[in-house]
Every structure is written in structure tokens, then in C-alpha cells.
Amino acid sequence: MGWQENVIQYRRDLHRIPELGFQETKTHAYLWDRLTSFGLEPKAIGGTGIMADIKGNQSGRTVALRADMDGLPLQEETAEPFISEHPGVMHACGHDGHMAILLGLAERLTGERNFPGTVRVFFQPSEEKLPGGAPTLIEEGVLEGVDAVYGLHLWADDPVGWVGLRPGPMMANADQFTIRIHGVGGHGSQPQVTKDAVLIASQTVVNLQTIVSRRLGAFEPAVVTCGTIKGGQNFNIIAETAEVTGTVRTFSLETQATVEEEITRIAQRTAALYDASAEVDYVKGYPVVINHEREANAWAENLRGLVEVEGPEPNPGGEDFAYYLQHRPGAFLFLGCGQDDNSSAPHHSPHFTVNERALPLGVEVLYRAIEA
Ligand code: NI
């Protein structure tokens, strides 16, 4: 069997053994085994991560290709014959497919050896949860000697044969915030001696909506979502404290800074208006994924004729591939893996599945990054 069939088996094997971030020990052993069987000399990096260099038969640059390794804390509910064997953990985002594609590519490259330069394949632990595996791998030298870095994400919303790739922002800054309001509680019948934290929280949620509508320009996209508002104990007690949490998505570091500043300002001043106080905890998630112009365009050019390349709107999800692109030129793309009958469940759903026809195609798509 060649890599075209093997890539599907690799994904099924990995799908059975999903592991959470930085705990990918069985996954590590599986990848290690395969890479060695191709004649490569893998190296452990960043805990459960692995990298291996494959030398071509001509001189050229060193290109790094990345796959993420972790699953999600989710009980799988598909009818796949290779369903997760780990209760409460599932590959529900397609990272099993990313690893299989990269393994398939390593197998193909070691078989052919017909490419310029060096290809470094690397498998990164923990993409799903902060702080992500990327900063650790960079610290431990995964990009040393590397000229460009590429990666992909399977994307179930679009069919096999579709690729989303554009220069500039591909994914968002994905941040979270918590606002704690401190008022003065009391009897529901005596509002004049209290500072009602529930009322202040409500006003804060409303005022935060003016960031997008009144503080950002028409071409500065952002999302400010208040996901929870909690406060109060009983119907006839005025709440002393309340908490609002939410998420922010922005597509540039400048917009991110503005939104962070405005959330703090609005929360504190709204509380001050009612003689109460607010503390804001703003936690930055993964930075925006910004594709480099030359690399994204060259890769898209190489993909013509193979797939339909669309320059999609930036995706409001977060992805720690962003860190690699802060250090080296490169690009990241979405690879359609929707089921042919449109039955695909969304990413991170217990019903998530991957159209396996996307896997051998993914090997070819990554292959074409080598000379991008
Ligand atoms: Ni993912």
C-alpha cells in the first residue's frame, strides 16, 4: 500500500487514541514509530511534540510543516468503526487528520526524495487550550534554521476540493474578559442605601456594545460578546457583587489594544457612575494568524488546478499557528473536509466527522507548500 491509502489508516489509528494537550503520550509513541519506520530520526520537542528533518536531493531552503496533536474533552457520539477508545476525549476538530496528512507526506517524501532543500515535519502538542504548544516549541528551537513555515486546518463547513487561503489575517485574536462589580447589597425594599451590582452589570453589558458601534471604524471588524452575567442570591435582595464574562475577537493587534482599553474604561466608569467599583481581568488568547503575502500567494498559485482556492473572510476562531508566523514567513490554510451529502457536524461537536477523501488531497496540498 502506498501513502495514499496509509494516510487514511493513520488517521483512524490516531482517532482511536485522542489525548488532551501536553498529555499526548500514546499519540507521540504512534508518530515516533511511523517516522522511524520511514527511516527518519525523530526528535522529541516540547514534551510530547516531535520533529524530524527530511533532506531532499537538491539544494534549497528549509521548510517547516506543522500538525497539531491534541483532542478535546468531549464524549464522542459518532457511529464510526474507529470511535474514540478514551472515554470523554475525542478528536473533534480534525487534528487526527492533520497528523495523518503530515505522516503521509513524510512517508511520500522519504520514498521519493525528489524535492529541494530540507523539509522539517513537526507535531505540536496542545493547540486547543491556552497557552498552546507553539510558544514552547519555538523556545526549544523548532524554527531554528527554518526559512518558512506552513500549516493547514481541516474545515468541515466546506467540501473536499475547497481550500481557503489568503494573504493577511486568516484567524482572529481570541481573548476573554471578566468584569467583577463591587457594590453594596441590601434589602430589596431599601434601594436608596445600596449600590446595586446587578443594575450596574446590566448597564455595563449595554455600554460595552458601543465599542464596536462607536469606537471602531467601518473597516475594523471586531466582536465583543458578553457570554455570562451572574449576580444576586434571591428575588428580594439587592446584589452586592456581580460578574460579567465575555470574549473578544479582533483581526489586528491595534484593534485588539483599543478594545481591551475600552472594556476597562467602560466597566470602571459605568461602575463609578453608580458610586461602585469594577475590576477587569482581560486575558489575551492566541494572537491573530497573519499570512505572509509572498508565501500565501505562491502557495495559492501552486494549488491552482488541484483545488478551488478561495480567499475567505478571516475566521473568528483562534489558532496558535499565529506564533510561528510572528517568527518566520509562511502561511496557513483551511482544507475542506465536509461530507459529500452535507451531513457534516461542526468542529468541536460530539458528532464531528472528517471526509477521508480530504486526507490524500491534504498530502498533495502540503507537498505544494515545499516550493511555495
Ligand atoms: Ni483545531
Side-chain angles (χ1 to χ4, degrees):
M1 285 214 301
W3 58 265
Q4 291 91 336
E5 295 81 38
N6 290 344
V7 68
I8 290 168
Q9 190 58 49
Y10 298 150
R11 188 241 156 188
R12 292 182 176 193
D13 292 344
L14 289 163
H15 191 85
R16 288 181 208 270
I17 53 164
E19 294 165 299
L20 298 178
F22 289 120
Q23 298 167 27
E24 303 96 335
T25 49
K26 287 189 202 171
T27 307
H28 177 98
Y30 181 88
L31 297 170
W32 189 278
D33 219 55
R34 289 297 167 289
L35 291 168
T36 340
S37 79
F38 306 152
L40 294 170
E41 284 171 20
K43 215 178 101 182
I45 185 164
T48 47
I50 303 186
M51 59 183 258
D53 284 354
I54 313 169
K55 283 206 181 322
N57 61 355
Q58 305 135 48
S59 63
R61 58 184 191 154
T62 296
V63 167
L65 304 175
R66 171 267 210 173
D68 41 12
M69 300 167 70
D70 54 333
L72 285 156
L74 198 66
Q75 181 64 44
E76 178 161 0
E77 285 172 40
T78 72
E80 302 281 29
F82 46 88
I83 193 165
S84 167
E85 290 167 3
H86 294 171
V89 189
M90 176 186 177
H91 270 299
C93 195
H95 300 188
D96 49 348
H98 305 164
M99 290 185 280
I101 289 170
L102 197 54
L103 269 185
L105 183 75
E107 183 174 18
R108 176 176 172 184
L109 293 178
T110 48
E112 296 175 358
R113 295 273 177 189
N114 185 24
F115 58 94
T118 300
V119 172
R120 173 170 299 164
V121 296
F122 72 99
F123 299 86
Q124 177 212 301
S126 193
E127 187 279 328
E128 296 287 3
K129 59 175 201 214
L130 288 170
T136 312
L137 262 64
I138 293 169
E139 219 176 275
E140 294 191 13
V142 81
L143 295 178
E144 264 163 39
V146 166
D147 298 300
V149 59
Y150 300 89
L152 58 75
H153 204 299
L154 288 164
W155 195 242
D157 289 1
D158 286 282
V160 176
W162 174 91
V163 158
L165 171 61
R166 69 197 294 272
M170 276 294 283
M171 298 188 77
N173 291 302
D175 304 338
Q176 53 185 331
F177 63 86
T178 304
I179 299 169
R180 285 182 205 90
I181 292 147
H182 303 281
V184 174
H187 199 286
S189 67
Q190 308 265 312
Q192 72 279 18
V193 296
T194 68
K195 293 166 187 172
D196 183 354
V198 162
L199 171 73
I200 298 165
S202 311
Q203 295 285 19
T204 303
V205 170
V206 172
N207 290 343
L208 290 178
Q209 303 313 305
T210 63
I211 298 174
V212 173
S213 68
R214 285 297 171 268
R215 283 285 174 267
L216 299 177
F219 300 101
E220 266 187 295
V223 174
V224 176
T225 291
C226 296
T228 71
I229 169 165
K230 284 185 198 145
Q233 309 285 330
N234 202 36
F235 77 99
N236 60 357
I237 301 172
I238 288 174
E240 176 134 337
T241 59
E243 194 181 90
V244 175
T245 68
T247 184
V248 173
R249 305 298 158 111
T250 51
F251 297 91
S252 78
L253 296 176
E254 294 74 30
T255 309
Q256 180 187 41
T258 307
V259 174
E260 177 181 3
E261 227 178 271
E262 286 294 308
I263 286 177
T264 308
R265 194 182 67 84
I266 288 172
Q268 289 175 346
R269 294 203 183 174
T270 302
L273 179 60
Y274 300 96
D275 206 16
S277 66
E279 308 161 51
V280 180
D281 195 8
Y282 191 95
V283 181
K284 284 187 181 150
Y286 298 147
V288 53
V289 174
I290 298 177
N291 276 344
H292 294 241
E293 182 132 0
R294 200 207 69 78
E295 283 68 22
N297 287 335
W299 196 3
E301 197 49 45
N302 289 354
L303 291 173
R304 285 200 205 288
L306 177 72
V307 287
E308 182 208 334
V309 181
E310 194 194 358
E313 285 184 345
N315 180 302
E319 168 55 80
D320 71 348
F321 194 82
Y323 293 109
Y324 303 116
L325 296 178
Q326 289 181 341
H327 288 83
R328 290 291 184 277
F332 186 76
L333 62 71
F334 294 108
L335 179 71
C337 71
Q339 298 295 354
D340 298 334
D341 60 0
N342 275 327
S343 66
S344 300
H347 290 257
H348 293 206
S349 150
H351 304 284
F352 178 77
T353 57
V354 165
N355 187 329
E356 292 179 324
R357 289 198 297 117
L359 303 173
L361 183 64
V363 173
E364 183 62 35
V365 164
L366 266 193
Y367 184 84
R368 295 189 183 199
I370 299 170
E371 291 185 73

